[in-house]
Amino acid sequence: MTKSGASGPKARARKAQQAAGVRYTQVRRATLPSRNGRTVQFLLEDRYELSTLAVQIAAAWARQGMRVLLVHEYKPSGIDMALYSRRARERKAAEQRLQECPGYRSTLLWKSGTGRDQGGLLVEQHTPWSTPPADPKYLTTDDSPLRDALQLGRSHFDSIVLMGRPTWPHRELVDHFVVLAATNGAPVTETLTHGPMPEERREHPLTPEQSAALLRERHLNFLHHRPTAFLGMISGSRQLPAAEPKPGFIHAVEANMAAAGIPLLGHVHVGHHDPVTHARHTDQAALAALVVASPLDPGVAQAAKAITARW
C-alpha cells in the first residue's frame, strides 16, 4: 500500500525527489540520465589538508555538465540528555552538536540552467549506510541501504562520490578508486640525516624511479597492501610543485607510475580551500556549500577531466 492512497507513479516520484534533492519534474524534464552512473571513492590518509579536495573535484564535474551525487553516511545520534540540563552552557553545547548532525536529507548544492536546458547538477545526500544490528553487542553486516542508495543514484546521476571512510576502499560497491596524496608534486630530493644536528641533514637528488617509488611508499601505505585497482593518483598541497631538476624528469616519473598501475592525474594547489580557512567562516555543516561557491583551482578542473578520460 502506498501512502495516503497515492498511486505507484507518485510513490516513485517521491522516491526520486528524495534521492535527487530537487523536484521530480526537474529530474524528469532534464536531459536523459546516463542510467549507468559511475561510483567513485577518493582514498587519502591526510584528511586535514585535502579534506575538501573530493568536493572540489565533484564541483568541477558539475560545472563541466555532469550530474554528480555526494553520498555521506548518516549516523543518527542517540538522545543527548544534556539537552535537558539545568546548566545553560551544557544545553547550548548539546544544541550545537544536534545542529551539526545534518540528518537524513538531500541538498541541492549547485545547478546550471533550468527546466529542459538543465545541465550540470551537484547534490549532497546523507543516508544510512547500514541497518542497525538486532543485538547492540555486535556490528552490523547489512549494507543494503547503501547499496540501494548507490543503485538509485546510478540511474539519475553520471557520477556518485562515496564520501567518508577514505582509508577503507569499498571494492564491492565502487567502480573507481582515486588516491589523493598530500604532497607538492613528485619529490625531486630526499632529506637524509647523517647525525643529530640539523646541519648534518643533506638533500640528496632523486632519480625518476626513486621519486615514483617514494610516491607509492608514502601515500599507499595506509591501505596496508590491500589489493586495489586504482584509476590514478592526484597530488595536492598548499605549496607549489618543486621545480623540475632536468627536462623530462616529471615525464619519466609519470611513465613509471603508469607502468606500476597508478598514473598521476594532476596536481592541485589547495590554497584557500583548506578546512582551516573555511572554519573561520562557517561550520562543518555548510563546508561543502562554501567550497562549491568558491573559485576552483585550475588544477581541479584538469584533474576532473583526467579522471573521466580514464573511465
Side-chain angles (χ1 to χ4, degrees):
M1 292 290 293
T2 56
K3 182 179 179 182
S4 301
S7 63
K10 288 185 178 180
R12 290 193 296 270
R14 286 196 301 268
K15 192 174 184 180
Q17 177 180 351
Q18 185 181 28
V22 295
R23 292 182 178 180
Y24 178 67
T25 53
Q26 293 182 357
V27 175
R28 193 174 180 182
R29 293 175 182 173
T31 56
L32 292 176
S34 65
R35 303 291 181 182
N36 190 25
R38 305 294 185 95
T39 303
V40 183
Q41 184 181 9
F42 293 95
L43 303 174
L44 71 157
E45 184 178 19
D46 188 352
R47 308 187 203 187
Y48 185 74
E49 187 171 2
L50 303 182
S51 61
T52 64
L53 187 51
V55 181
Q56 294 181 56
I57 295 175
W61 281 334
R63 296 180 184 183
Q64 292 168 7
M66 295 178 59
R67 300 165 60 85
V68 186
L69 176 66
L70 305 178
V71 179
H72 295 264
E73 181 179 12
Y74 168 53
K75 297 180 179 179
S77 58
I79 299 177
D80 194 344
M81 298 306 296
L83 290 170
Y84 310 100
S85 174
R86 296 181 179 179
R87 299 179 179 178
R89 181 176 299 178
E90 293 182 358
R91 291 198 306 272
K92 186 176 181 180
E95 292 172 356
Q96 181 67 25
R97 290 193 297 269
L98 186 62
Q99 292 177 359
E100 291 176 355
C101 184
Y104 182 23
R105 77 179 198 284
S106 297
T107 304
L108 178 62
L109 297 178
W110 187 88
K111 68 175 181 178
S112 64
T114 58
R116 297 181 183 272
D117 297 329
Q118 181 177 335
L121 185 72
L122 181 59
V123 176
E124 183 181 46
Q125 183 186 49
H126 292 79
T127 184
W129 284 14
S130 60
T131 56
D135 190 342
K137 297 180 182 179
Y138 302 100
L139 296 176
T140 181
T141 58
D142 182 13
D143 60 354
S144 56
L146 177 58
R147 292 178 180 271
D148 295 341
L150 295 179
Q151 182 178 1
L152 185 61
R154 288 188 181 98
S155 63
H156 294 287
F157 294 87
D158 303 306
S159 177
I160 302 94
V161 181
L162 194 62
M163 306 293 291
R165 303 185 190 179
T167 60
W168 185 265
H170 294 264
R171 295 185 186 85
E172 301 82 5
L173 306 176
V174 176
D175 300 313
H176 306 293
F177 296 99
V178 178
V179 177
L180 303 181
T183 177
N184 59 334
V188 298
T189 60
E190 176 71 354
T191 302
L192 299 180
T193 303
H194 297 271
M197 304 303 294
E199 56 269 16
E200 296 178 307
R201 299 175 182 175
R202 300 176 185 176
E203 296 284 341
H204 290 263
L206 299 175
T207 65
E209 294 75 14
Q210 292 172 334
S211 177
L214 276 180
L215 281 175
R216 294 190 292 268
E217 178 183 356
R218 290 174 176 174
H219 304 291
L220 297 180
N221 273 343
F222 71 96
L223 296 174
H224 303 291
H225 304 287
R226 293 191 293 268
T228 305
F230 300 107
L231 198 67
M233 175 186 291
I234 298 174
S235 61
S237 174
R238 275 176 273 185
Q239 301 177 359
L240 296 176
E244 193 173 20
K246 60 180 180 179
F249 181 90
I250 300 300
H251 179 74
V253 173
E254 293 174 347
N256 188 284
M257 292 291 289
I262 179 168
L264 295 178
L265 303 178
H267 176 79
V268 176
H269 181 226
V270 178
H272 298 293
H273 287 283
D274 60 281
V276 176
T277 304
H278 284 300
R280 302 172 185 171
H281 305 284
T282 184
D283 55 14
Q284 291 296 321
L287 182 58
L290 181 58
V291 171
V292 172
S294 304
L296 298 178
D297 181 76
V300 175
Q302 297 175 5
K305 292 181 179 179
I307 293 175
T308 56
R310 293 183 54 81
W311 284 358

